[in-house]
Amino acid sequence: MRTTRSTTRKSSVTALLSGLAALLGLVVLGALCPTTAQAQSPSALATGLHISNGRLLEGNGNDFIMRGVNHAHTWYPGETQSLAHIKALGANTVRVVLSNGHRWTENSAEDVAGVIDQCKANRLICVLEVHDTTGYGEEAATLDQAADYWIGLKDVLAGEENYVIVNIGNEPWGNTNPAGWTEPTIAAVKKLRNAGFQHTIMVDAPNWGQDWQGVMRANAQSVYDADPTGNLIFSIHMYSVYDTAQEITDYLNAFVNAELPILIGEFGGPPDQYGDPDEDTMMAAAEQLRLGYLAWSWSGNTDPILDLAIGFDPNQLSSWGQRIFNGANGIAQTSREATVYDDDPGDTQAPTTPGTPTASAVAATSVTLAWTAATDNVGVTGYDIVRVSGGSETTVAASATNTATVTGLTADTTYTFAVYARDAAGNRSERSATVSVTTDEDGSTPGVSCSVGYRVVNEWSGGFQGEITIRNTGTTAVSGWTLAFAFANGQTITNMWGGTPTQDGGTVSVAPASYTATIPASGSVTVGFTAGKGGTNAAPTAFTLSGTTCATA
């Protein structure tokens, strides 16, 4: 039976409950802050991606800040086109799930070489990780076994230091004796260095990656000092443990202040019954501190709440995907391609200039733009949509096709937009002519045509998690919508993502979040929630969208 990452995530969070009371300890973990790291001598630096003074640098000394996503390659080996789609949406890095054969089918040397080639062809930095170590100490592969797998791939990885980071093992300790994480981590790092690896090495935290007991935070200095090259970076995974701004900023700043390199190697935004991750602070703090982040995950989760793209389709981003790629501090706004690709002597011809954008479905907080596609001698891979203000411009969205919906706008405000085209080599076209759009005052959308799917994702005594998928079955975008329905058994919404609920008795009204405000023609958005319940939990039988009755799916 194929197991995907969200299954692991649920088991990790379940295990987390046993020590949930220790969450309060995050506030006092400042006492565990590691001491300031000693800078490595220039001779110790790798020839490619390397660490200096707590920063990840390219071989030419330029700062490199990862902005990307995770992709479950080992479970979906036929979806390698996803790397091109991820790049087209603006990412500069992809973290690729691999297996050493302990729990899933081993990814061969030939397969891994193909993944690296795909990353390089799409001008992405490739973080490769062994997923079988997830929850070591709880019947998973050991870090020593993961290190042996990497050593077996040495011929494939040698010479790729500019393009590949080796993440030894995913979340290599659960909640059983997480203090046991330190020595095996040091041993695995030394084993790889003794085998001649010069790559930057990434190490994940214990506690299923979330380090809520502070073991990695307290021992990071000793682990870092054990690497003779100094080219080691720490990875924290942030899910429901990190539901307040203070927890997030305290943890990241502890490493930054100690000049110890760190990134957010996985994170989620949609809440579950254990908490609501504060992804807004995660992304804002990463941008402020100039740290990398890699969102979980592109597509294919058993529980699709964490799918960025629905069904591996880059034109069907979920509300979570819209947040990551096109939201505030998202990938479209903040990602910068690795400069190692600037020296690529291959394709140097830029795409032609895209056509002047035209605006449709103008609402209070969003607008849909379309333009005549650009052409290229090799092929256009994506478009950057920018907001122009005087002599400056800000990237507001990225798209793999010649249409995009820009969200998060202010009502009754004039905006000016333009478009650039990109090719696989990173060549960028001239900027298109601009279009000016004034958003509506109220965002009402007449002529709605819709269907709604409702399902219970998970259920427990006294509560449940639900999901509502709203599909626009019409021919024009729907913006500024309001969804209404009624519970029949006293269910009460306690938390919601993708929308804001108002409840009066059993009657519920949902207003969209900024990143779900527009539903493209033939497209959909997803709203998730947790709720309290009694003994009966019947699904709502009728839904209206902006006053129009929707079909039920």
Side-chain angles (χ1 to χ4, degrees), residues 38 40-53 55-58 161 164-166 168 189 192-193 197-203 223-234 261:
Q38 297 299 312
Q40 300 294 313
S41 66
S43 61
L45 299 177
T47 56
L49 290 159
H50 62 273
I51 303 298
S52 179
N53 297 321
R55 304 292 305 167
L56 177 63
L57 306 181
E58 294 189 65
E161 291 85 354
V164 173
I165 293 173
V166 176
I168 302 178
V189 171
L192 290 179
R193 295 306 186 206
F197 279 74
Q198 291 296 312
H199 304 72
T200 292
I201 290 175
M202 184 183 295
V203 296
V223 174
Y224 185 82
D225 289 344
D227 183 353
T229 73
N231 296 313
L232 182 142
I233 186 168
F234 297 93

Side-chain angles (χ1 to χ4, degrees), residues 138-337:
E138 299 178 24
E139 303 307 318
T142 66
L143 284 172
D144 187 65
Q145 291 168 330
D148 286 340
Y149 175 71
W150 296 121
I151 291 170
L153 294 174
K154 186 177 178 183
D155 289 346
V156 170
L157 298 171
E160 303 293 353
E161 291 85 354
N162 275 310
Y163 309 97
V164 173
I165 293 173
V166 176
N167 189 178
I168 302 178
N170 182 72
E171 300 179 2
W173 218 279
N175 294 323
T176 302
N177 186 30
W181 167 89
T182 304
E183 290 306 316
T185 300
I186 289 174
V189 171
K190 288 183 175 179
K191 190 170 192 175
L192 290 179
R193 295 306 186 206
N194 290 338
F197 279 74
Q198 291 296 312
H199 304 72
T200 292
I201 290 175
M202 184 183 295
V203 296
D204 283 9
N207 294 130
W208 301 93
Q210 298 197 77
D211 200 31
W212 56 269
Q213 290 178 298
V215 171
M216 185 172 82
R217 182 170 169 175
N219 292 280
Q221 187 68 64
S222 62
V223 174
Y224 185 82
D225 289 344
D227 183 353
T229 73
N231 296 313
L232 182 142
I233 186 168
F234 297 93
S235 175
I236 182 67
H237 293 182
M238 290 186 166
Y239 291 94
S240 54
V241 166
Y242 294 91
D243 56 2
T244 70
Q246 183 175 353
E247 290 165 342
I248 295 162
T249 56
D250 281 357
Y251 195 94
L252 296 177
N253 275 301
F255 282 78
V256 171
N257 292 339
E259 293 189 1
L260 287 168
I262 191 168
L263 82 155
I264 306 174
E266 285 185 24
F267 68 105
D272 54 34
Q273 62 265 39
Y274 306 110
D276 183 0
D278 184 359
E279 71 275 15
D280 291 341
T281 296
M282 295 176 202
M283 296 166 73
E287 180 64 9
Q288 179 187 9
L289 297 171
R290 299 170 64 240
L291 303 178
Y293 67 64
L294 303 171
W296 188 275
S297 75
W298 177 243
S299 198
N301 289 284
T302 303
D303 182 351
I305 193 172
L306 286 173
D307 282 0
L308 296 159
I310 299 169
F312 293 93
D313 184 353
N315 297 312
Q316 293 290 323
L317 294 182
S318 66
S319 55
W320 173 227
Q322 290 286 358
R323 174 69 188 91
I324 290 299
F325 286 105
N326 298 324
N329 298 304
I331 287 172
Q333 289 185 1
T334 65
S335 177
R336 300 292 181 270
E337 186 177 84

Side-chain angles (χ1 to χ4, degrees), residues 351-364:
T352 61
T353 305
T356 304
T358 58
S360 63
V362 180

